[in-house]
Amino acid sequence: MESNSERSPRQRRRVVIVGGGMAGTRLAQQLAVSAGEGSLDVTIIGEEPHPAYNRVLLAEVLAGRYAPEVIALPTPAGGAGAGVRRLSGVRVVRVDRPTAEVLCDDGRSVPYDALVLATGSNPVLPPLRGLLEPDGRDDLHALPGGVHAFRTMDDCLALGAAVRPGTRAVVIGGGLLGVSAARALARRGAQVVLAHQGEHLMERQLDPGASRLLRRHMAALGVEIHTECRARGLRTDGQPVPTVHAVELADGYALEAELVVLACGVRPRVGLARAAGLEVARGIVVDDELRTSDPRVFAIGDCAEHAGVVYGLAGPAQEQADVLAQLLFPTPPLPEPRGLRPLDPHRGSALEPGQGSAPNPRQGSALEPGQGSAPNPRQGSAPEADQGSAPDLDRDSAPEPTRGSAPGPAPGDQVVGNRPAEGAPPSGSWGRDGWAQPGHRAAPGADTPARYTGTRTLTRLTLTAAPGPAGASASGTDGPLDLAAFGTPTPAPGDDVIHLTDATRNTYRKVVVRGDRLLGGILLGDLGTVGALARAWEGDEPLPATPLLHLLTNDGGS
């Protein structure tokens, strides 16, 4: 087999993406569109056997509004520049960094020049008595009968097959995902009880006033809600393969259940990265180029931690994928694989979380369990996630200097890359095959390279009306409910608060302003102003010079 050191600079570069979800698929799409002729071979390795799909819309599939194929993502089309192949139902079991290969559970090995970890996140399993086997392993395949996570298409299809009109279902967790799952099951005719340990629903996004309106809406759908209650355990039938029949609360009260949905958040999938010796905190630590502590390995999406933040949402994941695509093509700053030791995570330039491009306001929805769902995947922050993505940038290729030389800076040259590799040649030198080392010199006159500096997230969710011939009532509580939340809706001393509530129309609007900038906001029931507010928030733009009350009128003050 040909080694990396023997490959010609004109041969196609091999980009391997571990994870076939939204972040990995988005990256492959961008590379397929923008790669130069004959320049890239892209391989996506995904554990799920299904085609890539929009995870944000899983609740709509469960509710019966969409068939699974409707939420499928477009297949990346390999054009003249990038050949794209997808390995579905294949799990990567090890990353061999010295040989630059990933090893799969079917025995194959896939070599890479650049590796992107987009491994996503796993659902958090709460510490419930009777949930797991005595050895305590978090095995989603060993849950009692009737107990389901809500994370994947398989989870969604299993729940859909089990629910019937009148089925007694208990949803544990009242965040975005729990609310979405409860609403979907109610639309299928189930008798739904939602048990939430917090003081009010969706406490990460809503204040108590907005949450009360949401609770009224859920009650109109037939969902029974218990807040400030903790699930303590599951009661099963005691058979060798147990089946759940009740959820026991901490006060001893039991909720009868034929189905139990666990919506307790997600945790980034970092096991593969940790076993490979990469730097891991809550997620896989990346810099502004979405590089890990190995300069040939990147991470995006739910599994990535940038500037101390794990987003766990579709919007940031897609933005990371777009930025990474620009960095990988056409002259990706990838060092040669040999002789490089893990980077010192404390070296290199500091991250700047306060800066960054904002996502397009046309999108906005949560991606992962524990965070919620929304039709448009481009916002929301989330506690934990495990995907990976990387920057997207078009740059001209620089000519390869004489091997072994380390040319000094020339007038007009730009330095890109902010993580020097230990043991690598000095900044500004070139490795074999024309791949630049971290800190390499861009071609004279090249554009400023892409960087990911964080995402200002906005979460959107639509709760549709309960089915039935009567339609929405005059109060609007059983009609559809739209929700948008962003930033910090809790004011500090000196902040301005604009707050409008209409109980008869089931609407709630609140924004917090500091100086001429939006600090946060919550809109329920009427999103006529969300467009202008979203643009001001996501772009960190100054507010228009109009009375603050106009921010909550239907034209958003524009």
Side-chain angles (χ1 to χ4, degrees):
M1 183 175 66
E2 186 182 42
S3 69
N4 285 330
S5 62
E6 296 168 341
R7 298 175 67 243
S8 163
R10 294 182 176 83
Q11 284 188 280
R12 298 164 73 96
R13 313 305 195 194
R14 300 163 301 185
V15 177
V16 174
I17 304 169
V18 179
M22 295 179 69
T25 301
R26 173 76 172 204
L27 175 61
Q29 290 169 340
Q30 296 293 72
L31 290 175
V33 168
S34 60
E37 183 173 356
S39 59
L40 291 176
D41 276 321
V42 180
T43 300
I44 310 173
I45 307 175
E47 284 188 43
E48 293 191 59
H50 309 283
Y53 55 89
N54 185 344
R55 198 181 305 278
V56 167
L57 296 178
L58 279 178
E60 303 304 323
V61 174
L62 178 58
R65 293 188 65 202
Y66 300 142
E69 57 270 19
V70 172
I71 69 170
L73 297 174
T75 301
V84 180
R85 65 168 176 161
R86 185 181 182 95
L87 305 179
S88 297
V90 177
R91 182 169 62 92
V92 173
V93 296
R94 185 161 67 90
V95 175
D96 191 332
R97 291 166 54 199
T99 62
E101 293 178 321
V102 296
L103 308 180
C104 303
D105 60 354
D106 61 0
R108 81 179 81 194
S109 62
V110 182
Y112 64 82
D113 296 307
L115 174 64
V116 181
L117 300 177
T119 47
S121 54
N122 284 328
V124 172
L125 299 184
L128 300 178
R129 186 172 57 220
L131 179 63
L132 300 172
E133 295 297 325
D135 60 13
R137 291 180 301 171
D138 288 358
D139 187 356
L140 292 172
H141 302 289
L143 299 177
V147 180
H148 300 263
F150 189 34
R151 173 73 178 83
T152 66
M153 180 64 77
D154 284 339
D155 295 334
C156 182
L157 297 177
L159 273 170
V163 67
R164 298 286 186 275
T167 297
R168 293 169 299 186
V170 175
V171 177
I172 300 177
L176 254 171
L177 182 72
V179 168
S180 299
R183 184 265 304 177
L185 292 171
R187 282 185 57 87
R188 297 287 296 270
Q191 300 177 24
V192 184
V193 177
L194 190 154
H196 182 51
Q197 186 169 341
E199 294 183 2
H200 60 268
L201 297 178
M202 288 180 56
E203 57 212 358
R204 292 179 59 86
Q205 292 85 18
L206 305 183
D207 63 8
S211 183
R212 281 193 294 271
L213 288 184
L214 175 61
R215 183 166 183 159
R216 285 179 56 197
H217 178 83
M218 298 295 289
L221 296 178
V223 178
E224 178 183 336
I225 296 174
H226 296 263
T227 54
E228 298 184 88
C229 72
R230 182 174 63 85
R232 182 170 63 186
L234 302 179
R235 296 180 182 177
T236 62
D237 57 10
Q239 298 299 313
V241 180
T243 299
V244 69
H245 64 77
V247 175
E248 183 179 333
L249 303 180
D251 60 4
Y253 186 76
L255 302 171
E256 293 186 3
E258 299 166 88
L259 283 179
V260 174
V261 180
L262 305 175
C264 303
V266 293
R267 180 176 294 117
R269 295 185 62 184
V270 297
L272 197 64
R274 180 177 284 118
L278 301 175
E279 183 187 357
V280 172
R282 282 193 306 146
I284 304 170
V285 177
V286 297
D287 62 14
D288 288 1
E289 291 183 336
L290 300 165
R291 292 183 192 274
T292 69
S293 52
D294 182 333
R296 294 178 59 84
V297 181
F298 304 81
I300 57 174
D302 284 7
C303 66
E305 177 177 338
H306 174 266
V309 177
V310 177
Y311 289 96
L313 297 169
Q318 292 190 335
E319 189 172 343
Q320 290 169 1
D322 292 349
V323 173
L324 185 56
Q326 293 179 26
L327 290 175
L328 293 179
F329 171 79
T331 311
L334 303 177
E336 57 184 313
R338 298 181 180 277
L340 293 181
R341 300 191 297 277
L343 300 181
D344 181 347
H346 302 294
R347 297 180 60 187
S349 63
L351 301 175
E352 299 176 347
Q355 304 175 1
S357 57
N360 192 323
R362 60 188 163 80
Q363 299 149 337
S365 48
L367 169 61
E368 300 301 343
Q371 274 80 264
S373 71
N376 206 338
R378 194 113 171 127
Q379 54 270 86
S381 61
E384 308 191 82
D386 196 44
Q387 296 163 316
S389 45
D392 191 3
L393 144 81
D394 292 329
R395 285 187 285 108
D396 295 330
S397 300
E400 181 182 3
T402 305
R403 295 177 187 257
S405 65
D413 285 351
Q414 298 171 339
V415 176
V416 298
N418 60 1
R419 277 194 158 190
E422 296 180 13
S427 176
S429 66
W430 294 78
R432 297 188 182 95
D433 303 329
W435 292 88
Q437 301 289 349
H440 75 286
R441 294 187 306 117
D447 294 336
T448 302
R451 291 289 184 272
Y452 179 74
T453 53
T455 300
R456 293 170 65 85
T457 56
L458 185 150
T459 300
R460 291 191 65 171
L461 176 66
T462 297
L463 299 174
T464 51
S473 69
S475 69
T477 55
D478 58 354
L481 181 71
D482 290 326
L483 177 155
F486 57 92
T488 304
T490 303
D495 292 339
D496 292 310
V497 179
I498 306 96
H499 189 181
L500 295 177
T501 301
D502 187 339
T504 61
R505 297 185 180 181
N506 207 34
T507 61
Y508 183 98
R509 309 181 205 173
K510 173 184 174 181
V511 294
V512 180
V513 176
R514 181 174 297 167
D516 64 351
R517 294 295 198 275
L518 279 177
L519 189 64
I522 301 170
L523 304 174
L524 266 80
D526 181 0
L527 300 191
T529 62
V530 73
L533 291 174
R535 288 191 295 273
W537 161 253
E538 294 180 326
D540 194 21
E541 299 172 357
L543 296 172
T546 58
L548 293 179
L549 185 61
H550 289 188
L551 292 174
L552 297 183
T553 59
N554 283 336
D555 63 359
S558 60

